[in-house]
């Protein structure tokens, strides 16, 4: 029986889930793959912290260098998150010829090319399935399962915390209570502003776009808006019109062969597949030029979903080491899939628009006049009777060039009868 020695950096929610998975499925792995796993080193911040799993104290250290430099570690699991010292530790592990598994999307999105080059130079590989969409094998699907396809578009709910918060808010829980629950359940990042501000989904979108289109897209090429700017009233207006607001990552190939990548709150039909994804689940719709539409669904965050992806990578690493193929693929290979990043202003989409206006004559015609001047066609307009001096007007548009919408918003915002900065969100009529 071939034995692999595993070193883990970080024994928080995900690290604990990984240890539990090896204990639960060790006999299955031995029988199914002929591999035995021994966790030989674990780096933690504090030896005395309360933990979700018991680990023999003799293999614990507070120095992560002990893991990446250990002679008795074949596969290093980086589960600490963040940029530094994670980047330096992963580079050291790769330079020591070890296979590396990471769940760290910020690290892969920002430093991917540097890490893949280090892996290639040392005849090893970095695996990162857990970095996007938790337990959904989306990296493997793009790299292997859909390899016969040119990818046309990817739309996804990629942040479990945001989807959990939005689901709770629809059911009447406040934003603050929902975020606290997501943190308690181990869904949120150490810094939850990365979740609610859209940065986490932005990192994941950049990784998916890179794999789909064969060139490395960094986070600064992703236009990001989070759910922290949402008002409950927008969730209610969307619901009344048959939609639900989700934080959607949109990765689209434009007509000039460029790739537009954005993350933003988006209205989607309640009955659509993506609109039915609730709680901590993620859902990803990929359009391939051979297969057509595909949809991937599963838990996007939390102990079990993420450790499932990490341990699957450990098994893949073991198979690659055992067969000698580990040196053949560093984790990413560039190809000619697109000709660079596109401007978001070139994207055509429907939009939701909420304008709070003075409730007086000619206001509505002024607003619709400005939209008309920018070639924006109105699909519906809603104004409920108000007993105040102000009233929200909600407009759903037909397809609009984003650049035209931005110009119209700027004109609207400068009108004295417009009392608040207009709110606008993308609207997608997914099936
Ligand atoms: N904070 C992330 C989420 C964890 O909520 O999706 C998984 O990447």
């Amino acid at each position: 029986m071939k034995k692999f020695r595993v070193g883990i950096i970080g024994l928080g929610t995900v690290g604990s889930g990984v240890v539990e998975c090896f204990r639960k499925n060790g006999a299955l792995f031995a029988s199914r793959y002929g591999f035995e796993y021994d966790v030989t080193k674990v780096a933690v911040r504090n030896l005395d912290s309360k933990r979700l799993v018991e680990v023999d104290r003799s293999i614990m250290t507070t120095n992560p260098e002990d893991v990446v430099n250990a002679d008795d570690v074949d596969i290093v699991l980086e589960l600490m998150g963040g940029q530094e010292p994670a980047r330096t530790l992963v580079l050291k592990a790769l330079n020591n010829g070890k296979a590396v598994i990471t769940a760290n999307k910020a690290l892969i999105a920002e430093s991917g090319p540097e890490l893949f080059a280090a892996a290639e130079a040392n005849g090893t590989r970095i695996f990162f399935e857990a970095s996007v969409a938790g337990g959904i094998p989306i990296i493997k699907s793009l790299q292997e399962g859909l390899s016969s396809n040119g990818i046309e578009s990817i739309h996804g709910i990629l942040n479990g915390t945001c989807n959990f918060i939005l689901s709770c808010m629809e059911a009447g829980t406040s934003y603050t209570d929902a975020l606290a629950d997501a943190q308690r359940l181990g869904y949120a990042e150490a810094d939850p502003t990365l979740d609610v501000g859209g940065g986490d989904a932005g990192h994941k979108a950049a990784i998916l776009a890179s794999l789909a289109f064969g060139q490395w897209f960094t986070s600064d090429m992703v236009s990001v808006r989070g759910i922290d700017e949402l008002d409950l009233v927008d969730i209610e207006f969307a619901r009344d019109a048959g939609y639900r607001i989700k934080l959607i990552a949109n990765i689209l190939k434009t007509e000039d062969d460029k790739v537009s990548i954005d993350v933003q709150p988006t209205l989607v039909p309640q009955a659509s597949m993506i609109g039915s994804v609730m709680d901590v689940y993620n859902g990803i719709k990929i359009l391939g030029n051979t297969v057509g539409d595909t949809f991937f669904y599963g838990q996007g965050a939390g102990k079990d979903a993420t450790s499932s992806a990490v341990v699957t990578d450990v098994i893949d690493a073991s198979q690659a080491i055992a067969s000698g193929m580990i040196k053949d693929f560093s984790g990413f290979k560039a190809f000619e899939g697109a000709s660079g990043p596109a401007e978001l202003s070139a994207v055509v989409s429907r939009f939701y628009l909420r304008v709070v206006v003075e409730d007086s004559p000619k206001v509505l015609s002024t607003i619709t006049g400005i939209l008309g001047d920018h070639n924006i066609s109105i699909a519906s307009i809603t104004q409920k009777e108000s007993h105040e001096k102000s009233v929200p007007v909600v407009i759903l548009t037909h397809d609009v060039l984003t650049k035209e919408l931005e110009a119209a918003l700027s004109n609207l915002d400068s009108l004295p009868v417009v009392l608040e900065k207009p709110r606008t969100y993308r609207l997608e009529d997914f099936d």
Side-chain angles (χ1 to χ4, degrees):
M1 178 90 60
K2 178 104 179 108
K3 191 179 224 171
F4 288 96
R5 297 158 307 172
V6 175
I8 304 179
I9 304 172
L11 196 60
T13 307
V14 180
S16 307
V18 166
V19 172
E20 279 174 2
C21 179
F22 280 126
R23 288 180 185 162
K24 181 172 66 182
N25 288 340
L28 174 71
F29 299 157
S31 145
R32 194 170 178 189
Y33 309 109
F35 300 144
E36 212 177 281
Y37 293 100
D38 192 7
V39 177
T40 48
K41 283 259 178 318
V42 178
V44 295
R45 212 172 288 152
N46 180 349
L47 290 173
D48 298 317
S49 294
K50 205 165 163 342
R51 308 198 182 283
L52 297 170
V53 285
E54 288 292 320
V55 172
D56 191 341
R57 187 107 177 189
S58 67
I59 63 166
M60 288 170 91
T61 172
T62 52
N63 184 1
E65 299 263 347
D66 293 345
V67 177
V68 298
N69 292 324
D71 289 335
D72 63 347
V73 168
D74 307 305
I75 302 172
V76 170
L77 276 48
E78 184 279 299
L79 305 176
M80 68 193 309
Q83 284 294 338
E84 287 293 355
R87 176 184 149 276
T88 303
L89 290 164
V90 167
L91 282 171
K92 281 189 180 165
L94 295 170
N95 289 335
N96 286 334
K98 300 184 192 304
V100 173
I101 317 293
T102 182
N104 190 334
K105 47 265 167 182
L107 178 69
I108 293 291
E110 296 307 330
S111 307
E114 182 187 19
L115 302 178
F116 298 125
E120 190 168 353
N122 291 285
T124 189
R125 174 171 171 186
I126 180 160
F127 298 75
F128 49 101
E129 182 63 68
S131 66
V132 183
I136 306 174
I138 200 67
I139 306 278
K140 211 183 241 298
S141 298
L142 279 171
Q143 289 190 321
E144 298 174 32
L146 295 173
S147 56
S148 55
N149 287 266
I151 303 300
E152 305 279 348
S153 65
I154 303 177
H155 296 277
I157 295 173
L158 300 180
N159 186 274
T161 300
C162 289
N163 206 52
F164 177 84
I165 292 173
L166 292 172
S167 302
C168 292
M169 285 174 77
E170 263 191 70
T173 310
S174 74
Y175 172 87
T176 317
D177 287 351
L179 174 57
D181 280 348
Q183 287 177 293
R184 185 177 50 76
L185 292 164
Y187 302 153
E189 297 300 301
D191 171 7
T193 57
L194 268 175
D195 293 300
V196 296
D200 175 82
H203 287 138
K204 293 167 177 169
I207 295 171
L208 292 186
S210 305
L211 299 180
F213 298 107
Q215 56 199 272
W216 208 253
F217 293 96
T218 47
S219 318
D220 56 336
M221 298 171 187
V222 184
S223 158
V224 168
R225 290 169 64 190
I227 63 163
D228 47 357
E229 60 174 72
L230 267 179
D231 275 344
L232 196 55
V233 68
D234 294 311
I235 293 176
E236 288 165 359
F237 271 118
R239 184 191 56 210
D240 293 349
Y243 294 91
R244 212 166 245 149
I245 301 186
K246 298 288 187 189
L247 187 71
I248 304 280
N250 303 286
I251 303 164
L252 308 166
K253 202 156 179 198
T254 57
E255 276 176 8
D256 54 356
D257 212 34
K258 294 194 167 147
V259 180
S260 146
I261 317 170
D262 69 87
V263 171
Q264 51 180 301
T266 303
L267 279 78
V268 297
Q270 285 164 9
S272 63
M273 289 184 98
I274 214 159
S276 309
V277 175
M278 302 302 281
D279 300 319
V280 73
Y281 283 80
N282 283 187
I284 306 163
K285 186 175 174 319
I286 300 184
L287 178 62
N289 70 355
T290 305
V291 70
D293 252 330
T294 58
F295 191 77
F296 299 81
Y297 173 79
Q299 291 197 46
K303 178 162 69 75
D304 297 333
T306 313
S307 57
S308 165
V310 170
V311 178
T312 298
D313 272 353
V314 174
I315 293 165
D316 278 1
S318 315
Q319 285 171 326
I321 294 168
S323 66
M325 289 171 75
I326 187 87
K327 61 181 183 331
D328 296 346
F329 182 51
S330 66
F332 174 74
K333 189 173 175 314
F335 60 92
E336 286 173 18
S339 61
E343 294 294 325
L344 186 61
S345 55
V347 170
V348 172
S349 172
R350 294 189 62 193
F351 284 92
Y352 163 100
L353 182 59
R354 176 167 59 87
V355 197
V356 178
V357 293
E358 206 175 277
D359 199 0
S360 49
K362 283 192 92 171
V363 169
L364 216 46
S365 64
T366 309
I367 289 171
T368 54
I370 287 178
L371 295 180
D373 289 345
H374 290 277
N375 285 322
I376 298 172
S377 168
I378 295 168
S380 75
I381 185 160
T382 310
Q383 180 189 316
K384 292 181 185 153
E385 186 173 322
S386 165
H387 302 289
E388 316 279 327
K389 287 212 172 83
S390 68
V391 65
V393 176
V394 171
I395 293 165
L396 305 186
T397 73
H398 288 297
D399 271 346
V400 178
L401 187 63
T402 302
K403 192 164 55 177
E404 292 284 10
L405 184 89
E406 284 164 355
L409 282 177
S410 155
N411 285 2
L412 288 175
D413 201 17
S414 63
L415 293 176
V417 291
V418 172
L419 305 175
E420 290 176 17
K421 199 170 171 48
R423 296 298 183 97
T424 177
Y425 300 109
R426 216 123 107 210
L427 185 156
E428 295 278 0
D429 281 316
F430 296 127
D431 296 334

